[in-house]
Amino acid sequence: MLRFELLATSGHARRGRLTLAHGVVETPVFMPVGTYGTVKGVMPRSLEEMGAEIILGNTFHLWLRPGLDELQAFDGLHRFENWRRPILTDSGGFQVWSLGEMRKISEEGVRFASPVNGDKLFLTPEISMQIQTLLGADIVMQFDECTPYESKGQLTTEREARDSMALSLRWAERCRSEFARLENPNALFGIVQGGLFESLREASLEALVAMDLPGYAIGGVSVGEPKAEMQRIVAHTPRLLPAGKPRYLMGVGTPEDLVDGVANGVDMFDCVMPTRNARNGHLFTRFGDLKIRNARHKSDAAPVDASCGCYACAGAGGSGGLSGGFSRAYLHHLDRCGEMLGPMLASVHNLHYYIQLMRELRLALEDGRFEAWRAQFAADRARGV
Amino acid sequence: MLRFELLATSGHARRGRLTLAHGVVETPVFMPVGTYGTVKGVMPRSLEEMGAEIILGNTFHLWLRPGLDELQAFDGLHRFENWRRPILTDSGGFQVWSLGEMRKISEEGVRFASPVNGDKLFLTPEISMQIQTLLGADIVMQFDECTPYESKGQLTTEREARDSMALSLRWAERCRSEFARLENPNALFGIVQGGLFESLREASLEALVAMDLPGYAIGGVSVGEPKAEMQRIVAHTPRLLPAGKPRYLMGVGTPEDLVDGVANGVDMFDCVMPTRNARNGHLFTRFGDLKIRNARHKSDAAPVDASCGCYACAGAGGSGGLSGGFSRAYLHHLDRCGEMLGPMLASVHNLHYYIQLMRELRLALEDGRFEAWRAQFAADRARGV
């Protein structure tokens, strides 16, 4: 099931509410990425506490490990990873595409060797639907071909982008048929492709809209293109999608990218950046980004962000007086010593920042002050931390 | 400050209460090890939730990183690592001893090169007291020489053990003087040495007892000797220590070692085993140990220990319905994928097991059923999981 209501708008920006089989998701929303059935370095309870309402799982990775037998024994991903709220799974298309020379794409699907054990595998639109149905995702993504920005040093031509986009459309049709045949009660999203060509984006979008799917994603951005190119597509495509359906910008991005996406009509985002950067000591804050490895933090008693309410910055003072609230000096020390608690706290902080950013943004939209909020966001982020 | 009350006894076993500057510690107690100012892989809030009442810090490691300037700026270790309850610090003696050929021991102290940056360093009884005073530990350990079990393939002779023990006694006296000179308001513990020789243990103990220190440790066990040799010393030395003062068996051990230690009159234990083993997929349970990497757990929907109340086994159901409670299959999968959540959950489980074991043991002592409890413990552990 999927129900989507628009609660408020401001220009192209939208404040919405998505109701899925496992619960309600307030939009715009950031969705933490749980590739192998775990958001890296973060306990599910921390995700719930910080207000994560939906997380991702990766079809490709979960297919390889733990494998379908194990996931089926648990009736899918929710019970396996012990997450009660909604889950979105990708189709596996992006991951097999990322295998590069290790995979062979045909009309039928993609052949590749498992990077885990070398097994010969074949992923098709139908198999992707079967796996995602077994996983029990609230939102299932169509199997698509991610059109590259460049290949072997050559920019993708319009012809190549058109062929790729057309293949993804044929695969979308096959996904829709298989999804129906499987009587999957959840929601299938189509993915708009077309590279950096507006005309191809429009052709992709129109054909997908004609399929009347419950939601649409913009794929094939954040794949190595210059930032301005991505911004051009984000300023073009989302607003052309049906107003009454959720719009998901895949794999994006920085805090600025998210705010820009919302301003252009996007409702949903996912990105590994908060957790991956956390593991490298890169922290996002209201007042700009902070590299905890920098020697200037060695003796700094301040928290990462004094305005942040996460466990790393503010502790869990509300919950029975438990301790928390750690200094930059301490996080610097943990990083220097290679202690696990470093990335654990940094991951909690970064995800909390992203989720809190979306929460503030939603409130601004509700109160009709999105543009003022956006200006303050930009000024705060430029201030420096 | 230190106050110690005996609440109940059963044979040599004691149920006590230790009051320190930062709070009360119910004994017998297991103390998680926080070498670099963090119990590896565990958030402080998790430690508090599982009921850890005192944790360790390592003088040697903290001296090297973050260094004394940083720790002084935070008024010591408590505020630096954000832990409000009692802390015990070791003296650094064991760590410099572990450096092997890299260190040179003299009457004055130990010269060694920093394994972090090669700096030439010198650790003496006085410097150890100064560092531990700066750290602000509730319990300060004397600087001692840990008598080895063997050296270059040769068992330590009685003469070598006597010389080493005598050196530790002279260092104990210097520690006591320096501790007093520093007007450290906390508690200094002496460490009984003497290797595997009962007569030397008795000589060490008598000399230390004459110094009238507020607590005593048994050191130099669990340093590579056969288990039976350790058990012989544990059955010999603790009961000879003053009844009214806390007794601490350093660096021990398995759950069975802890119960054996309590039966022989020990009040306090520390060991890296729960966290180190957790990171290697070795889980302790009421019904024996479990290697999560074993393929037989691949599809097992049971938690690690159904009788365990930790977040990994039972979830956080009590705290606002947050999720938790993970299967062996899921933990097996996390381990296989090298996901951080694997050691995070395993560390919470193992520490919770050790702390819960001590809690049950204390209740048994209070209720005068220690021997029956001990028989049940042995039967349960032998059952297999």
Side-chain angles (χ1 to χ4, degrees), chain B residues 11 13 21 24 31-32 40 66 71 100 108 146 152 160 187 216 267 275 279 302 307 317 376:
Chain B
V24 171
M31 306 181 284
K40 287 187 192 298
L71 287 160
E108 178 62 11
C146 183
K152 297 175 181 166
E160 288 166 339
Y216 294 99
D267 306 303
T275 43
R279 295 195 301 283
S307 78
Q376 185 67 48

Side-chain angles (χ1 to χ4, degrees), chain A residues 234-379:
Chain A
V234 170
H236 168 268
T237 308
R239 65 186 64 174
L240 302 179
L241 286 162
K245 295 182 176 180
R247 303 160 175 172
Y248 164 28
L249 182 61
M250 300 180 81
V252 174
T254 66
E256 283 70 19
D257 292 337
L258 265 60
V259 173
D260 190 51
V262 168
N264 282 294
V266 175
D267 307 303
M268 305 163 67
F269 302 87
D270 80 285
C271 193
V272 295
M273 203 175 269
T275 43
R276 178 176 293 167
N277 287 20
R279 295 195 301 281
N280 293 316
H282 179 128
L283 294 157
F284 296 97
T285 88
R286 182 181 300 274
F287 302 110
D289 297 352
L290 181 156
K291 304 284 177 64
I292 202 67
R293 279 175 203 170
N294 194 309
R296 77 183 172 101
H297 303 302
K298 189 166 163 48
S299 307
D300 191 342
V304 169
D305 181 349
S307 78
C308 176
C310 85
Y311 174 66
C313 290
S319 346
L322 295 175
S323 68
F326 301 88
S327 64
R328 295 178 189 182
Y330 184 62
L331 293 176
H332 175 84
H333 164 71
L334 294 175
D335 180 80
R336 192 169 159 223
C337 296
E339 287 284 351
M340 280 175 66
L341 188 59
M344 287 165 62
L345 292 174
S347 298
V348 161
H349 170 81
N350 276 356
L351 285 175
H352 183 279
Y353 172 78
Y354 268 65
I355 286 169
Q356 181 63 22
L357 178 70
M358 292 289 105
R359 191 179 284 124
E360 292 184 7
L361 195 158
R362 289 195 301 267
L363 284 173
L365 283 168
E366 287 168 19
D367 298 347
R369 50 182 175 78
F370 176 65
E371 285 306 326
W373 178 89
R374 194 182 176 190
Q376 184 66 49
F377 162 79

Side-chain angles (χ1 to χ4, degrees), chain A residues 36-37 40-41 43 45 48-49 65-66 70 80 82 84 298-299 311 321-325 330 333 339 344, chain B residues 36-37 40-41 43 45 48-49 65-66 70 80 82 84 298-299 311 321-325 330 333 339 344:
Chain A
Y36 272 117
K40 287 186 192 297
M43 290 201 180
R45 61 179 290 186
E48 292 180 345
E49 286 170 4
R65 291 182 295 189
E70 282 65 37
F80 182 67
N82 209 342
R84 303 172 192 186
K298 189 166 163 48
S299 307
Y311 174 66
L322 295 175
S323 68
Y330 184 62
H333 164 71
E339 287 284 351
M344 287 165 62
Chain B
Y36 273 117
K40 287 187 192 298
M43 291 201 179
R45 61 179 290 186
E48 292 180 347
E49 287 170 2
R65 292 183 295 190
E70 281 66 38
F80 182 68
N82 209 342
R84 304 172 192 186
K298 189 165 163 46
S299 307
Y311 174 66
L322 295 174
S323 67
Y330 183 63
H333 164 71
E339 288 284 352
M344 286 165 63

Side-chain angles (χ1 to χ4, degrees), chain B residues 25-42:
Chain B
V25 176
E26 305 291 341
T27 65
V29 64
F30 176 77
M31 306 181 284
V33 178
T35 305
Y36 273 117
T38 162
V39 176
K40 287 187 192 298
V42 182

